[in-house]
Amino acid sequence: MKILIARMNHETNTFSPVATPLAAFGRNGPAFGADAYNENKGMQTAMSAFIDAAERTGAQLVTPVSASANPSGPVAAAAYDTICNAIVDAARGCDAVMLDLHGAMVAENSNDGEGDLLERVRAALPNAPIAVALDLHGNVTQKMIDNADIMVSFKTYPHVDMRECGAHAARLLFDLIDGRARPVIAWSQPPLLTHTLRSASAAGAMKRAVEAAQAAEREGMLAVSILAGFSLADIPAPRISVVVVGDGNREAAAQVAERIARQIWDDREGFFYRSPSLADSVAEGAVLARGADKPVLLLDHGDNCMSGGACDTMDVYEEAVRQGLTGIVTGPLCDPEAVTVLLAAGVGATVTLEVGNKLSRRAAKPRPPVRLTGVIRALTDGEYVISGPTYTRQRAYMGRAAVLDVGVAKIVLTERTHEPWDLGVFESVGIDPRRATFLILKSRMYCRPVFVPIAHGLVECDSRGVTSSDFGLFEFRNVQRPVYPLDADATW
């Protein structure tokens, strides 16, 4: 048996000013062929689980590409075509397909990146079973449903079950091939845009929805997935979805999907997040820090790298300084211009330069960069190995990095946007984050499994960047209306 296994991951924020060329996928572009296999083998990805499951059967593996980029603006058409063509061109002669996809990709030439890819794969292999693993934040479309035999998403956010999701999808694929199951897909999608900060799976409405999905699996459904969607994609339906894989009985699967979707709709207020003012949030952090012997986390979710943020807004830093906070460590802050200046000056030099608010002003009300004077403490290649639990053992690339010490704060500056999902973002440049009084991180969730254990507490801070929880900042032109909460009177 010959099995096609590939990975294409991108969460697209159509409001983001961050470009997504082919080079954004990986260190300098996707991994192809044997490199795609090696990039995933033994890692905590769905593709890794696909590889292991296929190898246990003795199948011949075809791994044309592994392409994963940080969330950002729409994927360049040339990049999208290159990745999709690699997958479709490799499909010839394959007996089955397993794809590790995100589910919320928008390209310059496709509003439904995964759906259009799956349609092409299905056309190339009309009789081959297709299994798909998706991110919990996937925006499901009918085209995706129509062109897959098995669809399973992560059940955790922060995402720590990527490999388990892939193993689940692979198990169902081989059950189908071996005649042990007859997977059928049903789905339901209420008119609800969710806030990412309310899609955490450990509490609230999302926890209740995931628990309902797990109960339905225990009661006989092959897989039940709750996909919160990614609302910062201005496409027709960036909405929450329930996808159910039943065993031969589509009507029963549809009933489960409808029941859980109705529960979600009735619980819709639990998916809505209201941001306090930035000044109030920073002041709350200052109170938390009194007498603390561990850092207080100030999470800048309005400029969150892993939702497409420019990673260079200075709002939280400026407010913290205005309120007299000291002992600050912040980063990674993406400013390639500043990094170039610091590299030229060298470690130990005192420099004055403008930092931040450069890329972000293309998408928001212009704010000038902040003029800072400080000492350069470190210069590195910006690479480190992730300790986990997310993307464990994978190598991370921040671009070249520098540390600027301005007295009240040590600022980690990088050439690329980068999620602080590991202590390595600081330890790789010689900073011990445990010794900070305040850690300003451009993050919503991914930082939490690593940084919460070393912290005294955390405060969510909305810098009103392109990943803000305030939908009023964004001009939605393509979203089908009415939809809650854009339309308070939306019904279902």
Side-chain angles (χ1 to χ4, degrees), residues 448-471:
R448 300 189 192 210
V450 172
F451 286 92
V452 167
I454 71 166
H456 175 70
L458 70 84
V459 180
E460 293 161 348
C461 301
D462 193 343
S463 62
R464 303 179 71 77
V466 296
T467 70
S468 171
S469 294
D470 183 358
F471 287 158

Side-chain angles (χ1 to χ4, degrees), residues 94-418:
C94 289
D95 303 297
V97 178
M98 291 189 281
L99 296 178
D100 178 348
L101 306 177
H102 184 283
M105 175 182 278
V106 179
E108 292 173 340
N109 54 341
S110 173
N111 273 342
D112 185 2
E114 288 83 0
D116 288 342
L117 169 63
L118 286 168
E119 185 177 58
R120 291 182 61 191
V121 173
R122 176 67 81 195
L125 297 171
N127 299 314
I130 300 173
V132 178
L134 295 174
D135 190 287
L136 175 143
H137 293 107
N139 289 324
V140 180
T141 67
Q142 189 63 50
K143 189 178 287 189
M144 292 165 64
I145 297 291
D146 290 342
N147 291 286
D149 297 284
I150 293 156
M151 187 174 289
V152 183
S153 78
F154 309 157
K155 283 186 169 65
T156 63
Y157 179 51
H159 308 315
V160 294
D161 66 334
M162 295 177 287
R163 182 179 176 82
E164 290 79 0
C165 172
H168 190 169
R171 182 173 68 253
L172 296 185
L173 178 77
F174 289 111
D175 284 349
L176 169 61
I177 291 170
D178 296 336
R180 293 187 295 270
R182 295 177 298 148
V184 291
I185 299 179
W187 74 305
S188 184
Q189 189 181 59
L192 172 62
L193 304 184
T194 70
H195 282 116
T196 306
L197 273 168
R198 288 293 179 258
S199 60
S201 55
M206 190 64 181
K207 180 175 187 286
R208 292 188 286 274
V210 170
E211 287 174 344
Q214 293 168 328
E217 290 177 344
R218 290 193 296 270
E219 293 163 3
M221 293 297 113
L222 299 179
V224 183
S225 300
I226 311 298
L227 295 102
F230 185 62
S231 299
L232 295 177
D234 188 17
I235 58 175
R239 307 188 325 221
I240 194 167
S241 301
V242 181
V243 177
V244 179
V245 182
D247 192 359
N249 188 336
R250 195 180 305 275
E251 182 178 351
Q255 289 174 355
V256 170
E258 186 72 12
R259 171 172 56 80
I260 298 177
R262 182 60 59 181
Q263 170 189 319
I264 288 170
W265 177 251
D266 292 342
D267 210 4
R268 57 190 176 277
E269 280 298 314
F271 291 95
F272 184 77
Y273 180 88
R274 289 178 175 85
S275 295
S277 74
L278 179 56
D280 287 347
S281 296
V282 172
E284 180 185 348
V287 172
L288 272 177
R290 292 173 187 167
D293 59 356
K294 293 181 179 180
V296 170
L297 306 181
L298 301 178
L299 302 190
D300 182 4
H301 62 88
D303 188 29
N304 169 31
C305 169
M306 290 306 288
S307 291
C311 213
D312 77 341
T313 63
M314 300 295 287
D315 299 20
V316 179
Y317 170 81
E318 289 184 283
E319 181 61 28
V321 172
R322 189 188 71 79
Q323 294 194 25
L325 275 56
T326 59
I328 299 168
V329 169
T330 184
L333 182 78
C334 181
D335 191 333
E337 294 177 6
V339 171
T340 298
V341 171
L342 299 180
L343 285 165
V347 173
T350 298
V351 296
T352 298
L353 75 169
E354 293 186 334
V355 172
N357 289 346
K358 296 172 183 175
L359 184 59
S360 57
R361 62 184 171 185
R362 299 181 190 173
K365 184 177 179 179
R367 285 161 290 183
V370 177
R371 193 165 184 81
L372 297 174
T373 298
V375 178
I376 303 168
R377 299 298 185 192
L379 298 168
T380 78
D381 63 6
E383 298 185 14
Y384 66 94
V385 176
I386 298 172
S387 60
T390 304
Y391 298 122
T392 305
R393 295 188 299 278
Q394 291 195 45
R395 193 158 191 84
Y397 309 101
M398 301 189 290
R400 294 179 300 176
V403 176
L404 182 66
D405 185 344
V406 297
V408 298
K410 291 183 174 67
I411 303 171
V412 178
L413 295 154
T414 61
E415 292 182 307
R416 302 180 69 166
T417 62
H418 191 80

